[in-house]
Amino acid sequence: MNDEGRSDASATTARVRVLVACDSASRRRRRRRRIDSTDELEKTTTGVATTTLPRARRSLGMRALASAPTPATRGVVHRRARTRAHRARPRASASDPSSSARPPSARYEKTWSNPTGNVLTDVVPGVVWAAERPFTWNAIDVGGKMAVVRLRDGALWVHSPIDLDDATRAAIDALGSVKHVVSPNYEHVKWAAQWKEAYPDATLYGCPGMRAKKPGIPWDAEVGEDGAPEAWGGEFDVALFDCEVNPFTSTPFFNEVVFCHAASGVAFVTDVFWNYPGGDDVPPGTRLWKFGMDRVYLPFYRAAMVRDREKFARAREKVLSWDFDAALPCHGSFIPRGAKDALRRHLAL
């Protein structure tokens, strides 16, 4: 090769090196922009997508972790990411219990029946929580709620227990010690034995007649006929709706006990009252269910299932005499205010 050829080759090589260097620099700039964007996203959102975690590690200068993560280092980064996400979450407002704080254990899919995806939703700050879960019947999500109340002595009172999965148990244990578990009617009993097994020192209560109705469940006591147990510290009012029957068998149907926690001003109802929403964000099947419950089942319940109307009226008036303005139904949306009027209308015969 002559001198001119060698010169051209050298020039070409130099241009290639420049292009490679420019391309490398460009890639580094783009990577830095993505890292900065990821960091900004983590500051402004309440959750951290797992796909951003390697970039977050690189932004912290942890190149070794990004290239060869170990179980221990992955835990460190995930904990840091969850901490940033938790700090960004809004807190519940005491003036508006429906504006729920998101606990760090939020991990469920968001549905109409659990719009936040939280394991527990703080409805009365520091006192009352709701565990909102989908409940599917014939492919329709009719929703289900468990209530948790922290008593003055710090013990937890659980109403209408749901499946005690790992996430739920961790969230419950973080609140305190479970001492009282209540299955308020004949229908809400599926998970009662599971909770008694998990918390053997807790007292498992059923509505009147539950021991005979469900003898395979290890009930400790029945509640409803003689007021609230002394162990509840005078914090609850109770009313028994034992005045309706199955019209086809003439046997007691729900035998439901309704509760009111005086300190929080929240009533707890299971199946004698519901509050299904009907907005566009609710699936069509659930809206159809609401129509059936409001327009078909409720008139049938009043006309054909309530056999002792005077007894029903006494139970209703007892509930309406309590001092409450909020209600947490097992089915439907939490009512932060105006609940007494809602129950008055619903329970009218």
Side-chain angles (χ1 to χ4, degrees), residues 281-298:
D281 56 335
V282 177
T286 305
R287 292 201 298 271
L288 181 62
W289 176 266
K290 171 182 170 59
F291 177 85
M293 292 293 290
D294 292 348
R295 302 297 181 87
V296 180
Y297 172 75
L298 183 57

Side-chain angles (χ1 to χ4, degrees), residues 66-106:
S67 60
T70 66
T73 55
R74 279 198 299 268
V76 171
V77 176
H78 278 278
R79 284 194 295 273
R80 289 176 177 171
R82 286 197 300 270
T83 300
R84 287 195 295 271
H86 177 58
R87 288 172 178 169
R89 292 184 181 116
R91 295 184 179 274
S93 168
S95 61
D96 183 7
S98 64
S99 59
S100 307
R102 297 188 180 192
S105 53

Side-chain angles (χ1 to χ4, degrees), residues 28-97:
R28 285 195 296 271
R29 286 194 297 272
R30 287 197 299 270
R31 186 161 57 248
R32 282 196 295 272
R33 283 197 295 271
R34 286 196 299 268
I35 291 169
D36 293 340
S37 175
T38 297
D39 288 344
E40 188 63 26
L41 177 64
E42 291 175 356
K43 293 176 183 177
T44 57
T45 60
T46 61
V48 180
T50 56
T51 54
T52 67
L53 291 175
R55 294 173 187 166
R57 285 195 284 263
R58 287 197 292 270
S59 68
L60 294 170
M62 302 171 68
R63 298 182 183 274
L65 296 181
S67 60
T70 66
T73 55
R74 279 198 299 268
V76 171
V77 176
H78 278 278
R79 284 194 295 273
R80 289 176 177 171
R82 286 197 300 270
T83 300
R84 287 195 295 271
H86 177 58
R87 288 172 178 169
R89 292 184 181 116
R91 295 184 179 274
S93 168
S95 61
D96 183 7

Side-chain angles (χ1 to χ4, degrees), residues 158-214:
V158 176
H159 177 267
S160 187
I162 59 170
D163 182 18
L164 189 63
D165 59 20
D166 291 343
T168 302
R169 178 156 191 174
I172 291 291
D173 290 346
L175 296 180
S177 178
V178 175
K179 294 297 184 183
H180 315 281
V181 180
V182 181
S183 286
N185 69 21
Y186 287 160
E187 295 297 310
H188 286 237
V189 299
K190 182 176 182 179
W191 306 109
Q194 181 196 40
W195 279 71
K196 180 62 178 178
E197 181 179 0
Y199 301 103
D201 294 334
T203 302
L204 181 61
Y205 300 89
C207 66
M210 192 71 91
R211 281 173 164 153
K213 181 80 171 180
K214 302 288 183 180

Side-chain angles (χ1 to χ4, degrees), residues 8-334:
D8 290 342
S10 298
T12 299
T13 301
R15 282 196 294 271
V16 169
R17 288 175 176 170
V18 170
L19 290 173
V20 169
C22 290
D23 182 62
S24 298
S26 177
R27 284 199 299 270
R28 285 195 296 271
R29 286 194 297 272
R30 287 197 299 270
R31 186 161 57 248
R32 282 196 295 272
R33 283 197 295 271
R34 286 196 299 268
I35 291 169
D36 293 340
S37 175
T38 297
D39 288 344
E40 188 63 26
L41 177 64
E42 291 175 356
K43 293 176 183 177
T44 57
T45 60
T46 61
V48 180
T50 56
T51 54
T52 67
L53 291 175
R55 294 173 187 166
R57 285 195 284 263
R58 287 197 292 270
S59 68
L60 294 170
M62 302 171 68
R63 298 182 183 274
L65 296 181
S67 60
T70 66
T73 55
R74 279 198 299 268
V76 171
V77 176
H78 278 278
R79 284 194 295 273
R80 289 176 177 171
R82 286 197 300 270
T83 300
R84 287 195 295 271
H86 177 58
R87 288 172 178 169
R89 292 184 181 116
R91 295 184 179 274
S93 168
S95 61
D96 183 7
S98 64
S99 59
S100 307
R102 297 188 180 192
S105 53
R107 63 185 65 192
Y108 292 109
E109 178 184 359
K110 294 182 180 180
T111 62
W112 83 262
S113 49
N114 187 2
T116 65
N118 289 343
V119 176
L120 293 176
T121 298
D122 191 353
V123 296
V124 176
V127 182
V128 181
W129 294 263
E132 303 175 292
R133 302 289 186 271
F135 181 79
T136 303
W137 181 85
N138 284 352
I140 299 174
D141 179 8
V142 300
K145 285 183 176 60
M146 176 184 76
V148 181
V149 179
R150 180 184 283 141
L151 306 185
R152 286 190 294 263
D153 63 3
L156 299 183
W157 181 90
V158 176
H159 177 267
S160 187
I162 59 170
D163 182 18
L164 189 63
D165 59 20
D166 291 343
T168 302
R169 178 156 191 174
I172 291 291
D173 290 346
L175 296 180
S177 178
V178 175
K179 294 297 184 183
H180 315 281
V181 180
V182 181
S183 286
N185 69 21
Y186 287 160
E187 295 297 310
H188 286 237
V189 299
K190 182 176 182 179
W191 306 109
Q194 181 196 40
W195 279 71
K196 180 62 178 178
E197 181 179 0
Y199 301 103
D201 294 334
T203 302
L204 181 61
Y205 300 89
C207 66
M210 192 71 91
R211 281 173 164 153
K213 181 80 171 180
K214 302 288 183 180
I217 298 175
W219 307 106
D220 294 307
E222 294 180 352
V223 60
E225 291 185 324
D226 300 317
E230 291 185 8
W232 296 2
E235 295 192 47
F236 286 90
D237 295 304
V238 302
L240 173 61
F241 283 79
D242 60 343
C243 34
E244 92 278 279
V245 298
N246 184 321
F248 306 105
T249 64
S250 296
T251 56
F253 194 59
F254 289 129
N255 230 35
E256 180 169 330
V257 184
V258 176
F259 303 90
C260 179
H261 183 239
S264 63
V266 178
F268 302 92
V269 288
T270 311
D271 287 314
V272 299
F273 174 82
W274 54 88
N275 185 42
Y276 289 107
D280 293 338
D281 56 335
V282 177
T286 305
R287 292 201 298 271
L288 181 62
W289 176 266
K290 171 182 170 59
F291 177 85
M293 292 293 290
D294 292 348
R295 302 297 181 87
V296 180
Y297 172 75
L298 183 57
F300 179 78
Y301 175 84
R302 291 167 172 168
M305 297 178 66
V306 178
R307 294 293 176 87
D308 191 333
R309 301 175 76 83
E310 290 185 1
K311 196 173 188 180
F312 184 92
R314 288 195 298 271
R316 180 191 64 221
E317 293 307 311
K318 184 176 183 180
V319 168
L320 297 178
S321 71
W322 297 338
D323 185 15
F324 70 95
D325 196 35
L328 186 59
C330 284
H331 304 292
S333 302
F334 172 66

